[in-house]
Amino acid sequence: MSKKIVIIGGGIGGLSAGIYALKAGYEAEIYEKNHIAGGECMGWNRKDCHIDNCIHWLTGTDSSTSLWQVWNTLGAIDKNTEYAKTNKFYTSRLDGKEATLWKDLDRTEKELIALSPEDEAEIRKLIQHVRYAESCTIPVDKPMDMMKLGDYIKMGKSMADMPKVMKEYGKIDLNELGARFHSPLLRKLMTDYLPADYTAYSFLVSYATITSGNGEIPLGGSLAMTNRIIERFKKMGGKLFTNTPVKNIIVENGTAKGIELESGEKVTADEVISAVDMSFLYGKLLDSSYTPKDWAAAYNNSKSYPVISGFQVAYVTDDTFSGKDTIFFECAPINIGKRSFERVYVKNYGYDKSFAPEGKTVIQTNIMQTDEDYLYWKSLSGDEYKAKKQELAAEVTARVLKEFPELEGKLTMLDCWTPLTYERYCHAYHGGYMAFTTTPTTKKLKCNGTVKGLKNLYIAGQWIMSPGGLPVAAASGKFAVQRILKKEKRDIYI
Ligand SMILES: Cc1cc2nc3c(=O)[nH]c(=O)nc-3n(C[C@H](O)[C@H](O)[C@H](O)COP(=O)(O)OP(=O)(O)OC[C@H]3O[C@@H](n4cnc5c(N)ncnc54)[C@H](O)[C@@H]3O)c2cc1C
């Protein structure tokens, strides 16, 4: 009889583990606390509209990459997948001027130089390094700790230009990158999209994913993609238990033997894969004594190990809002706790006609939130929280209408949500929707996908590798199964 693998959490990491486990010939069962699987790769409906809340870009849409193979194995995309026809990354506005990062790098270079001739040298350098960063790939063939010298040489060759990017932009954060430019608008362009303490190279790699055509948005959005993956898992014979929260992992004599559900029911397993947020694994599913020292220290030091989340508002508008994609703009301060925000973005989802009835468009705003904001939200009582959400949403609406007066009388709010929503829905640490932010000064935390002192327990999910995100989650499930195969001395290439 084949081994039974029990997977905790049905996000992309857990679903990937399930599909690869089945592919390797194991039985796979996924236990998910929510009524549907998908975790943070999610979307929901309000007032005949669909709020798509994950994929801004899906790294791995270039079919020549190994990551595409992983997505294809998961049933997420195939050669016939249609992608949104977008031609830019985003636009920043300041003092009546706009700067755009186009998919077409030549166009970006030309326009930015025209906007700020005195920054020409810095702009040319940046664009050149974005071209270099197009070679950056996430290693997905096997976990890094299983790689041999030959694998590293192969990876080094395929990413030959990345060291140049790291040399120039690996040790500075986005604030420092912005400060290299004279133009206040270009400074904003550098710091608008990602948190300002992110390493500058992360921003170049993100933009390069778009310019290289390896970061498209599959039509139908996040939920549709998640559903395709769930369907693949079930078709292969996997069992998915939704509305089934797991209480803890059963450990006997240093070995994971199965799981206990919140209902009290016990499920035995030959191997257990945890695909929930790492803080939930260590704080709740397992005794906290299993937490590695460096991870415990990171959880106590959010200054060095920050996460990002968002205060988000979704609207439907009667206007097509055409020509406007993702636009960051300056506004009168919005206060959340002790912090004040003066830049907001509006993202136009008009690229996907399935998200709104004809003639209407869904737009979303996001004010990026940090650990400090999370703690503020957490300090509120239930009633205060509800009131603050509505109050802030009204403030955001007023700022949007001031910036886009053409939307006056045409904007209906669909929903708004905060870092606490991610905590409630996914048990996400501090409401973060990526792993720890990659800053130039912090030591990267390592995770070799196992828990010290415990046999038969493996870790999947985006937390295994910074900065997380969908590609890491997808690869993590494959890696967890490869670790089991290696233990059994079987071929790990599945
Ligand atoms: C607004 C937003 C935009 C994003 N944009 C992008 C993007 O453009 N590109 C990109 O690559 N990534 C993006 N991401 C990040 C991406 O969504 C995540 O990296 C990814 O979905 C994480 O997958 P995961 O499986 O590791 O974790 P999760 O999705 O958190 O999955 C964990 C699962 O475990 C379940 N669970 C938790 N506790 C239990 C329990 N006790 N019992 C049973 N089940 C449990 C949860 O309900 C959840 O389903 C975005 C995320 C958000 C929110």
Side-chain angles (χ1 to χ4, degrees):
M1 234 176 61
S2 59
K3 267 190 168 182
K4 179 166 112 182
I5 302 194
V6 158
I7 297 151
I8 313 168
I12 298 302
L15 289 165
S16 164
I19 289 172
Y20 276 99
L22 294 166
K23 208 165 176 256
Y26 301 119
E27 279 177 40
E29 292 181 359
I30 297 178
Y31 291 81
E32 164 57 48
K33 80 176 186 57
N34 291 328
H35 70 291
I36 41 168
E40 288 173 353
C41 189
M42 198 34 64
W44 60 96
N45 297 336
R46 291 283 183 278
K47 297 184 182 157
D48 293 333
C49 294
H50 183 72
I51 299 172
D52 183 23
N53 196 46
C54 180
I55 306 176
H56 292 63
W57 72 87
L58 181 73
T59 306
T61 53
D62 174 349
S63 61
S64 69
T65 61
S66 305
L67 185 53
W68 186 89
Q69 293 294 344
V70 172
W71 287 124
N72 186 248
T73 301
L74 300 188
I77 52 178
D78 60 27
K79 290 255 160 83
N80 300 317
T81 300
E82 283 187 55
Y83 298 105
K85 291 186 177 44
T86 53
N87 62 355
K88 55 187 92 137
F89 189 20
Y90 64 91
T91 296
S92 292
R93 277 186 179 180
L94 189 71
D95 301 330
K97 282 192 192 158
E98 280 189 356
T100 296
L101 295 176
W102 300 97
K103 252 186 187 173
D104 176 351
L105 269 175
D106 291 334
R107 181 173 178 187
T108 303
E109 184 174 66
K110 213 168 121 202
E111 288 189 6
L112 297 190
I113 292 171
L115 262 171
S116 181
E118 57 182 338
D119 285 315
E120 177 168 351
E122 204 55 55
I123 293 167
R124 287 198 189 281
K125 185 164 79 186
L126 180 84
I127 299 292
Q128 183 56 52
H129 283 78
V130 174
R131 285 189 213 286
Y132 293 149
E134 288 182 351
S135 71
C136 183
T137 50
I138 297 168
V140 295
D141 290 340
K142 54 178 146 174
M144 296 272 283
D145 52 276
M146 281 191 200
M147 281 169 53
K148 303 226 166 73
L149 185 63
D151 298 313
Y152 280 105
I153 293 171
K154 198 172 138 205
M155 189 170 91
K157 269 191 191 154
S158 71
M159 292 205 253
D161 285 329
M162 263 317 277
K164 296 179 199 159
V165 180
M166 296 308 288
K167 187 163 175 244
E168 188 61 38
Y169 298 100
K171 291 200 176 68
I172 58 165
D173 66 19
L174 289 168
N175 262 332
E176 291 166 281
L177 173 63
R180 290 182 176 184
F181 294 87
H182 295 95
S183 152
L185 173 57
L186 294 195
R187 289 180 176 198
K188 293 290 180 205
L189 187 69
M190 299 302 132
T191 52
D192 268 343
Y193 204 82
L194 294 172
D197 52 1
Y198 249 59
T199 43
Y201 90 87
S202 318
F203 164 71
L204 270 82
V205 169
S206 303
Y207 183 30
T209 310
I210 308 288
T211 60
S212 66
N214 190 30
E216 306 289 341
I217 305 173
L219 284 183
S222 314
L223 179 61
M225 186 177 92
T226 291
N227 281 336
R228 289 193 293 275
I229 300 176
I230 294 171
E231 201 183 319
R232 170 70 53 95
F233 174 68
K234 286 185 176 166
K235 249 200 182 133
M236 289 172 76
K239 289 187 191 149
L240 172 62
F241 299 92
T242 51
N243 283 323
T244 313
V246 177
K247 191 170 165 198
N248 55 51
I249 295 168
I250 301 168
V251 176
E252 284 171 20
N253 301 324
T255 304
K257 293 284 188 185
I259 55 171
E260 182 179 355
L261 307 179
E262 283 290 353
S263 65
E265 191 187 328
K266 293 189 170 134
V267 180
T268 56
D270 296 303
E271 311 278 355
V272 176
I273 297 178
S274 165
V276 298
D277 189 288
M278 200 83 99
S279 71
F280 193 80
L281 167 67
Y282 288 127
K284 293 276 190 304
L285 296 180
L286 282 180
D287 188 286
S288 56
S289 60
Y290 286 105
T291 317
K293 279 203 184 90
D294 47 354
W295 282 81
Y299 290 132
N300 283 319
N301 181 3
S302 54
K303 263 217 150 15
S304 297
Y305 291 93
V307 293
I308 51 162
S309 188
F311 172 69
Q312 293 162 267
V313 189
Y315 306 89
V316 59
T317 137
D318 292 340
D319 193 281
T320 59
F321 209 53
S322 67
K324 303 176 194 90
D325 288 329
T326 297
I327 302 182
F328 289 83
F329 61 88
E330 196 88 352
C331 63
I334 296 176
N335 297 320
I336 303 182
K338 286 197 187 115
R339 300 215 310 143
S340 180
F341 299 84
E342 292 174 15
R343 305 253 334 146
V344 171
Y345 89 65
V346 165
K347 180 171 159 65
N348 180 357
Y349 284 83
Y351 58 75
D352 196 322
K353 299 289 166 225
S354 69
F355 292 164
E358 215 182 318
K360 296 184 187 259
T361 310
V362 175
I363 63 172
Q364 245 194 58
T365 61
N366 190 348
I367 300 178
M368 211 176 279
Q369 302 280 274
T370 63
D371 305 78
E372 190 183 333
D373 305 315
Y374 161 82
L375 292 175
Y376 164 72
W377 287 108
K378 202 73 186 160
S379 73
L380 303 178
S381 70
D383 286 344
E384 285 169 343
Y385 172 74
K386 277 188 203 146
K388 188 70 191 172
K389 241 173 43 159
Q390 294 310 323
E391 180 196 315
L392 279 176
E395 283 193 46
V396 170
T397 308
R399 307 299 188 277
V400 171
L401 290 175
K402 182 147 197 307
E403 186 70 18
F404 303 98
E406 68 272 28
L407 295 179
E408 194 66 58
K410 296 178 178 169
L411 212 52
T412 307
M413 194 176 110
L414 295 173
D415 205 353
C416 67
W417 58 105
T418 76
L420 297 197
T421 313
Y422 295 108
E423 181 183 57
R424 175 184 55 75
Y425 190 69
C426 286
H427 287 153
Y429 168 73
H430 284 187
Y433 45 67
M434 299 286 285
F436 287 125
T437 296
T438 315
T439 71
T441 48
T442 43
K443 207 174 134 227
K444 266 198 185 165
L445 291 175
K446 283 212 176 98
C447 168
N448 72 356
T450 56
V451 177
K452 204 171 166 203
L454 266 186
K455 286 188 204 138
N456 298 4
L457 177 64
Y458 300 86
I459 304 175
Q462 62 168 337
W463 284 88
I464 64 150
M465 214 189 321
S466 262
L470 291 167
V472 176
S476 74
K478 175 182 178 186
F479 292 166
V481 174
Q482 286 178 311
R483 291 183 195 285
I484 297 171
L485 289 169
K486 189 178 175 208
K487 181 174 76 173
E488 295 181 339
K489 301 197 170 37
R490 287 180 54 192
D491 183 5
I492 63 157
Y493 293 100
I494 38 171

